Structure formats: structure tokens, C-alpha cells
Amino acid sequence: MTLHTRRTRRRLALAVGAGVTVALLATGCTGSAGGTATGGGTTLLAAMDNGSPTFTRNFNPFSASKRTTANVIYEPLFVPNTLDGTLVPFLGTAYTQPDPSTIVVTLRDGVKWQDGQDFSAKDVAFTYQLIKDTPALDTTGAWQNLASVDVDGSTVTFHLSSKNVPAVSIVLNVPIVPEHLWSSVKDPVTYTDENPVGTGPYQLGDFNENQYTITKYAGYWQADKVAASEVILPASNTQLDVVNKGYDWAYAYMSDVQNTWVKAAAGNSYWFPPGGTIALLPNLTKAPYNDVNFRQGLSLALDRTKIADVAEESYVDPAGTSGLLLPNQKDWLDPSLAKGGEVDQDTTAALAAFAKAGYTKDGSGKLVDASGTQFAVTISTVNGWNDWLRGVQEVQRQLEAIGMAVTVDQPQQAAFEQARAQGDFDLAMGSFGGTGSLYNDFNQLMSSEFVVPVGQTASANFERYSSPAADAALAELKVTVDENAQKKIGYQLQQTMTADLPVVPLFYGGLWGLFSDAHFTNWPSADHPYATPATWGANPLLILTTITAVS
């Protein structure tokens, strides 16, 4: 299993950045030419889409089974850069939030659909009405936040159903479709849109079940920023293919990336930025996990650097307790937080915290309760997610060293998700953050609105944490427009997170970007983090309009 498959993109929503290690037998091999110069420009070979095992011709941007490049053909008003939470203008040029329940967008002039028809505000109004009338199409949840949409010339005003400043990134990230074509679609849910017509930088070229291409749209409103004349997308993108066949761009975890990818060809590089925080989720409906002293003991007992190194081959950093995704959200970090929330392993302090929770070491070194019974815990992780398993096994070793009896449970993904959502676990691996929104990250982690009784299915906050202080801060953050005020509220949430530890952060999960400078440069990087390396969603729009061709 590799993370650039369509099936495992579902995992990213569950577990941002977790990778599956597939060791490559061949190292230091020479890559063949990927992108090739043509009379009209340069082609780009990308592992952006994967067949199952072959391609189905579906470019409906609202379909769960669409080709990933549907989001390159159809543009939204704004594309979020989830690394820093900024919204990059596309079909919209600017937006304002005059109050917490209103978003006003100015549309771009001079945009044409790929059939030559003019794009207008009518298309925007039609699209939003379409997904309102057909909720199955509202894949971003826009109408969970909207009350109405008004159009006046080139201005679109979104009226929210409540005061909700963070909703802007959800509301404005909807792919816009042409009214003159889609108004005649009888069933937009089952419609496969085999010949898509969007406003984006690429339109569909040749297509077969094993490979297809998207070709540059000459009439694109910022065509001068589109370097690749054609993008080639094979249905099969094994890691050996990526290494040996000269790919320009791929999203894949690679063991020993320096030898398997970087040394494979001149110009090969990688960037693995953090895309979410991997954590232990304690079941707060059970004792002793509902005791903050016990959770603090767990946190202090762990060597996060060792866990991160074992799990992800030193590709990622250990995570602190602030709840922020660092360094992405470093500008939001509470300056008064001790060591920025970083926690060093301190077994003496851990044992003191466990003692407050009623657990002490006996003469044989076991951590026992008042009756002398050794504390036993089961940690759940998904079968086949090898990096998470390595991390859990290192946690197991460290907790056993402090006197616990630790069992690792590895159910299949569906069973794991069900048990975790229904509260049937002791400690479970999980992830949070990475949305680019301070509010959304903390809300999904800490808000009591997601708390349901054990046995019922929770959609977030699987640990079932509830705190009046956190709820009050989240409610205030939701309606606050001023950024300085938002930061102060964020500081409160970081302090609550550090004091209460609703989850025990372990390490930051990486986003696995592989790039080649042989034919294109200016890929996203730590020095130029204009986008994540992700090959799905609207993110490729940011990359394909920023990279430049090598002369």
C-alpha cells in the first residue's frame, strides 16, 4: 500500500502524514528520462493518480471516485495552503469578512471556460445552488455553514448560517462548474463528466484505462505561469517505477530516501513537511485515562525523539503538547509556553505523576495499583500501517520499561476505525491537525460538540474530551475576525492542551513529496513552502502554476 493511491487518501483524513514503508531492493539506480521536451513545451511525468488497478473515466469534481485531476480542470474561488492556512486566489481575486457571518468575494474578470464561453458570477451562483439542491455533491460541507449566496455583478456575498469566521476555507474551496453545460445534466450524482470543461490550467487529453494525459489550456487566464505543456499520468505508480522511470513528481514514502531516490538521478530531491500530529488517544471514559495525572505520567514516560526516529526513519520531528503543527504554525505558538510545549522524557517525574493517580512501582519493578495488580494497557493501531506499528512498538518498549504490561492490537482498518469512533479502546493511535486552520484543528480535537456516549459513533474528538474552558475559547475563536485576538485565544487553548493532555502527541506525520529538477524547478520546499507536496485536492493547482521549466 502506498499513500498516493486513491484508496489510501481516505487514510490521510484519518491519519495525516502516516506512511507505509516499502523497502526498495534497488538503490543508487539511474533514472530514465521522465519529462521530455516537445515542440510545444515540456511534458511532466507524475504519480498524481492511481488506477484500481486501471482508470475509470470520471471527471465529475463532486464524485468520490473522480480522477484526481478533476480538481486541476475545475478551479475553486480560492485554494487553501494548509501549511500556513492562507487562501490563494484563483477564480476569486480577493475576499473580506466584514463580520463573522459574511464573506464577500470579488471574482476574476477575463476568465473563459475551456470551450471558449465566458466565466461569470452566474456560474458561481449555479454551482452553489447545485450542491445545495443535491447534498451528495457538497463534498466540502459548504452548506453546513451557509444560509444563502447573493450575486451582484462580479461580487458574490456568502451569508453564513451562524457567526463562523473559520468557515471561509470550507466555503470558498468548492470547484466551480459551467452553468451552460451542467444545467442540462439529469443526475449530477451519477454523472461521470467524461469530457470535462473547466477554467483550469489543463484540459483532458488522451485517455485509456492504463494512462491518460492532461494538456495545457492555451486560453487559461494565467497561462504564462503554466510550465508543463502536458502531464502524463500512469495508472500504476509503484515505487520502483517512480525511481527507475524518471518521474518528475510523486507522493510516496520511501525507506532510506537518500539512497533510493536522491541517488537515483541527478536533480532528485524530497521534502517531507509535517502534515498532522500523530498521537496516542486515551479513552477518557475509562479509568485511569480520565485522570490527568495518569495522562501526564504517560507523556513524561516517553522519549518522543526515539519514537519519531523509529517510526519514520528520522524524517520527522517529535511533537510537543501545544497542539500546534510545528513549524507550520510557529507564528501562533504561545511564547509563554515552557520550551514551546516540548516534553523531555523524565521517568522520575512520570512515576510521581503515576503515584498521584494511584500507581506505584513494587519491589519487582512493576507499576501496580493499591491492590498490587500490575497496570495493563492495550494500544490499538491499524494492521499494515507499518510506520505507526513501529512507533507503537517503541512506545510499548518504553512503557514496559517503566513497569506496565503492554499489548499491541492490530485490527484491520475498518474495525480499528469503528472501535475508535465508538470508544471501544484503551489507547489508540490517531492524528489531528493539518487543516491549516487553528480553529478547525483544535475544534476537532477538543470540542465537546463531538462527544457522544460510548457505543455511538463520534466523528471527531474520539477520546471524548470535554472542558468548559476549551469550549468557551473555541466559541470565542469561531466569531473573532481580528488576528491578534485570535492568537490570544489560541494561547489559551495551547495552555489547556498542555495542562489537560486530552491526547498525548508523539511526532509529526510527514507529507512525502518526491521531486526531480531535471525538467522543472521551483517545487515546494522548506525554503519556499507555497504548497504541500500533495497530489490530490486543489493543491496541485498551486504547484502546477508555480513550477518553472528548465531551459
Side-chain angles (χ1 to χ4, degrees), residues 282-295 298 354 356-359 369 374-378 404 423 425-427 454 463-464:
N283 188 335
L284 302 183
T285 69
K286 293 183 177 183
Y289 312 107
N290 58 356
D291 187 331
V292 67
N293 293 305
F294 191 87
R295 300 197 298 274
L298 281 175
F354 286 135
K356 291 180 182 179
Y359 292 86
D369 61 15
Q374 184 180 21
F375 177 75
V377 59
T378 297
M404 295 184 185
F425 64 92
D426 293 339
L427 290 174
V454 169
E463 69 278 9
R464 289 167 166 78

Side-chain angles (χ1 to χ4, degrees), residues 162-489:
S162 64
K163 295 179 179 179
N164 190 352
V165 174
V168 62
S169 61
I170 298 171
V171 169
L172 302 186
N173 187 26
V174 173
I176 306 301
V177 297
E179 179 184 21
H180 68 278
L181 296 177
W182 278 67
S183 59
S184 61
V185 174
K186 293 181 180 179
D187 186 350
V189 176
T190 60
Y191 180 53
T192 55
D193 195 17
E194 293 187 3
N195 298 294
V197 175
T199 59
Y202 289 93
Q203 52 196 142
L204 183 60
D206 296 330
F207 186 96
N208 65 59
E209 65 178 11
N210 296 311
Q211 180 174 290
Y212 71 96
T213 63
I214 52 175
T215 60
K216 181 176 177 178
Y217 170 43
Y220 183 49
W221 57 271
Q222 53 175 347
D224 59 323
K225 294 184 178 180
V226 181
S229 60
E230 181 181 63
V231 181
I232 301 172
L233 301 115
S236 176
N237 301 283
T238 69
Q239 293 197 23
L240 285 173
D241 286 340
V242 170
V243 171
N244 291 327
K245 294 184 179 179
Y247 276 67
D248 297 292
W249 174 20
Y251 182 92
Y253 183 99
M254 281 199 180
S255 185
D256 191 12
V257 68
Q258 193 68 32
N259 286 315
T260 56
W261 172 250
V262 175
K263 290 185 178 180
N268 281 6
S269 64
Y270 68 95
W271 184 42
F272 295 164
T277 301
I278 312 303
L280 284 176
L281 312 186
N283 188 335
L284 302 183
T285 69
K286 293 183 177 183
Y289 312 107
N290 58 356
D291 187 331
V292 67
N293 293 305
F294 191 87
R295 300 197 298 274
Q296 291 288 355
L298 281 175
S299 179
L300 290 162
L302 299 176
D303 181 344
R304 288 167 169 80
T305 299
K306 182 67 178 294
I307 295 167
D309 288 349
V310 168
E312 307 289 4
E313 301 185 60
S314 303
Y315 293 155
V316 301
D317 292 328
T321 60
S322 69
L324 298 183
L325 186 59
L326 300 175
N328 302 11
Q329 295 176 311
K330 62 182 183 302
D331 292 342
W332 296 84
L333 182 63
D334 180 1
S336 71
L337 204 62
K339 298 187 66 176
E342 294 180 4
V343 180
D344 295 325
Q345 184 183 43
D346 187 336
T347 54
T348 300
L351 289 171
F354 286 135
K356 291 180 182 179
Y359 292 86
T360 56
K361 273 197 171 186
D362 67 8
S364 64
K366 295 178 181 178
L367 192 69
V368 298
D369 61 15
S371 69
T373 302
Q374 184 180 21
F375 177 75
V377 59
T378 297
I379 307 177
S380 302
T381 188
V382 177
N383 188 292
W385 292 9
N386 294 337
D387 54 342
W388 278 23
L389 175 60
R390 290 193 302 269
V392 167
Q393 288 172 334
E394 181 57 32
V395 170
Q396 179 183 30
R397 284 190 284 270
Q398 295 181 18
L399 293 183
E400 286 177 342
I402 209 167
M404 295 184 185
V406 183
T407 301
V408 176
D409 184 32
Q410 300 179 66
Q412 295 299 316
Q413 181 176 342
F416 170 86
E417 290 182 25
Q418 180 178 354
R420 193 181 63 170
Q422 295 182 353
D424 183 16
F425 64 92
D426 293 339
L427 290 174
M429 287 291 276
S431 70
F432 66 91
T435 68
S437 163
L438 185 75
Y439 171 81
N440 290 334
D441 287 353
F442 276 113
N443 190 59
Q444 293 173 18
L445 177 67
M446 303 173 73
S447 174
S448 64
E449 70 175 292
F450 298 108
V451 175
V452 295
V454 169
Q456 295 184 21
T457 301
S459 59
N461 187 358
F462 302 116
E463 69 278 9
R464 289 167 166 78
Y465 174 74
S466 182
S467 161
D471 285 344
L474 287 166
E476 186 179 2
L477 184 59
K478 187 175 182 179
V479 301
T480 300
V481 177
D482 180 73
E483 186 173 292
N484 288 328
Q486 291 174 351
K487 285 186 176 181
K488 292 180 180 179
I489 301 167

Side-chain angles (χ1 to χ4, degrees), residues 54-117:
T54 56
F55 286 135
T56 300
R57 188 165 176 155
N58 181 357
F59 290 88
N60 180 338
F62 308 113
S63 171
S65 57
K66 66 180 177 291
R67 303 268 54 87
T68 58
T69 51
N71 290 107
V72 175
I73 295 170
Y74 292 104
E75 298 176 292
L77 299 176
F78 292 82
V79 174
N81 176 359
T82 56
L83 289 172
D84 60 13
T86 57
L87 294 178
V88 182
F90 272 77
L91 292 179
T93 60
Y95 75 91
T96 59
Q97 291 181 278
D99 60 68
S101 58
T102 308
I103 305 167
V104 180
V105 173
T106 302
L107 298 182
R108 192 174 301 281
D109 293 328
V111 175
K112 289 187 179 293
W113 294 101
Q114 292 166 356
D115 61 1
Q117 297 289 317

